[in-house]
Amino acid sequence: MIKIFVTGGTFDKDYDEKNGRLYFKKTHMNEILALGRSKVEVNIETLMMLDSLDMKEKDRELIVKKCTGAYEEQIVITHGTDTMTNTARVLGAKHLKKTIVITGAMIPYKFGTSDGLFNIASDLAYVQTMPHGVYIAMNGRVFLHDKVIKNRKTGIFEEIK
């Protein structure tokens, strides 16, 4: 069984047509997995629905606590892309005997052109095949938690050499 922790991020944002703003309602994870016809056994738990720029130290502490306490050794975390490297480093410092893959999306799932569906499918494969450790996976690439940066100019995650 794979544990999926939802924390919000662009992945789960909805669009309010009346005021033209993005907002959080509920996770789309069940819908995404159904659309992808996933047969992987998962246990989904929403921890928070935040833009990662609004994430505080207490929020990261909750993520660490939930990952530490999870029965499952394979964990996927959906997260906003702006600060997922911060969360990955905090988790990596704990040296948990688990495989944790953090992912997000650059475009909200509800927009229909999101990379989120591809990312979550990739993450389900990565979490089942990678050795214990903390990883960030975006757009078909997977990085060690302490060897990745988001290039703010291109919006692409890159390996730190």
Side-chain angles (χ1 to χ4, degrees):
M1 168 103 43
I2 297 171
K3 183 71 169 188
I4 299 177
F5 287 124
V6 173
T7 70
T10 299
F11 212 101
D12 273 319
K13 287 187 175 176
D14 275 289
Y15 182 68
D16 183 340
E17 294 178 14
K18 290 181 184 176
N19 65 27
R21 292 191 182 130
L22 294 173
Y23 71 100
F24 292 107
K25 185 174 174 184
K26 62 182 177 82
T27 185
H28 305 299
M29 188 53 59
N30 286 315
E31 182 180 338
I32 290 168
L33 294 173
L35 181 64
R37 301 187 67 202
S38 176
K39 301 301 180 213
V40 178
E41 226 180 302
V42 298
N43 179 359
I44 302 167
E45 182 177 344
T46 300
L47 301 182
M48 60 198 75
M49 295 294 275
L50 288 175
D51 186 297
S52 71
L53 291 173
D54 297 327
M55 195 173 277
K56 308 286 187 238
E57 186 177 329
K58 68 177 178 63
D59 300 313
R60 284 189 180 80
E61 289 171 6
L62 175 63
I63 294 168
V64 168
K65 178 182 175 185
K66 289 294 196 166
C67 287
T68 302
Y71 171 77
E72 299 86 355
E73 288 189 21
Q74 299 171 331
I75 300 170
V76 171
I77 301 171
T78 62
H79 197 291
T81 62
D82 287 314
T83 68
M84 69 169 51
T85 56
N86 300 353
T87 301
R89 285 184 179 86
V90 170
L91 276 166
K94 298 299 179 187
H95 305 287
L96 301 175
K97 296 215 181 297
K98 299 178 185 228
T99 304
I100 300 172
V101 179
I102 305 172
T103 194
M106 302 306 269
I107 300 167
Y109 164 72
K110 280 299 191 179
F111 279 24
T113 57
S114 176
D115 53 336
L117 186 63
F118 178 77
N119 288 341
I120 199 66
S122 299
D123 301 327
L124 290 173
Y126 292 137
V127 80
Q128 293 178 81
T129 57
M130 301 293 289
H132 288 164
V134 178
Y135 305 90
I136 286 183
M138 289 290 295
N139 309 110
R141 298 181 71 200
V142 63
F143 307 92
L144 284 170
H145 73 276
D146 58 350
K147 302 286 186 205
V148 62
I149 190 167
K150 180 181 177 182
N151 182 323
R152 302 278 177 211
K153 291 181 183 172
T154 64
I156 296 172
F157 283 81
E158 301 172 348
E159 184 177 8
I160 299 173
K161 302 201 182 200

